[in-house]
Amino acid sequence: MSKEKIIDHQRNLLAILRGHLNALYVPNFLTNDHTGQPCLEITDHNARTRRIYVQVVFYWFYWGDRPDERTSTIHLPMAAEDIAAAVRRGWREGEQGTLTIELGNIHGAHGR
């Protein structure tokens, strides 16, 4: 899949998620970050902003690097509820972590 098609797919998933978040009264803004990656910007009640991104290979929406800062893209209404709950709790203090995936840590990923 080309980079353009991946970005189109990410933008489409975010647009659908945006509709579900709007129905839950979670203000959000569809934009691109400084690298051109599509994302949703959401500010919590503490005026902390996070960007929601899509990791298409693992079917995740994510807003940080911790396991509790991601949710599945497979069931969009549930993903919106997870994100809305995180917004109500408030984003964690500090900078938004960057999700990195170490494929070498996955059993069998090192090859033969």
Side-chain angles (χ1 to χ4, degrees):
M1 186 178 284
S2 71
K3 183 174 181 170
E4 292 81 21
K5 286 189 181 200
I6 291 171
I7 289 174
D8 286 345
H9 182 59
Q10 291 170 324
R11 183 170 290 285
N12 184 50
L13 284 172
L14 289 167
I16 297 168
L17 176 64
R18 186 169 194 253
H20 289 288
L21 289 169
N22 288 341
L24 296 171
Y25 305 102
V26 176
N28 62 84
F29 181 71
L30 181 59
T31 189
N32 292 329
D33 68 9
H34 67 282
T35 68
Q37 194 70 28
C39 58
L40 289 179
E41 285 190 355
I42 301 176
T43 303
D44 70 4
H45 56 84
N46 295 312
R48 288 188 286 245
T49 300
R50 291 289 184 263
R51 290 181 171 154
I52 309 296
Y53 292 96
V54 180
Q55 206 316 319
V56 294
V57 173
F58 291 102
Y59 300 97
W60 289 335
F61 290 114
Y62 66 95
W63 53 94
D65 58 347
R66 297 179 180 180
D68 66 342
E69 295 176 327
R70 67 182 82 136
T71 189
S72 175
T73 63
I74 294 172
H75 191 267
L76 289 163
M78 187 179 299
E81 289 175 14
D82 290 345
I83 293 167
V87 171
R88 283 191 298 274
R89 284 191 304 272
W91 303 124
R92 67 177 168 86
E93 289 190 46
E95 295 293 316
Q96 179 172 350
T98 303
L99 182 67
T100 57
I101 300 166
E102 289 292 327
L103 294 178
N105 292 338
I106 299 173
H107 180 71
H110 62 278
R112 300 184 199 267

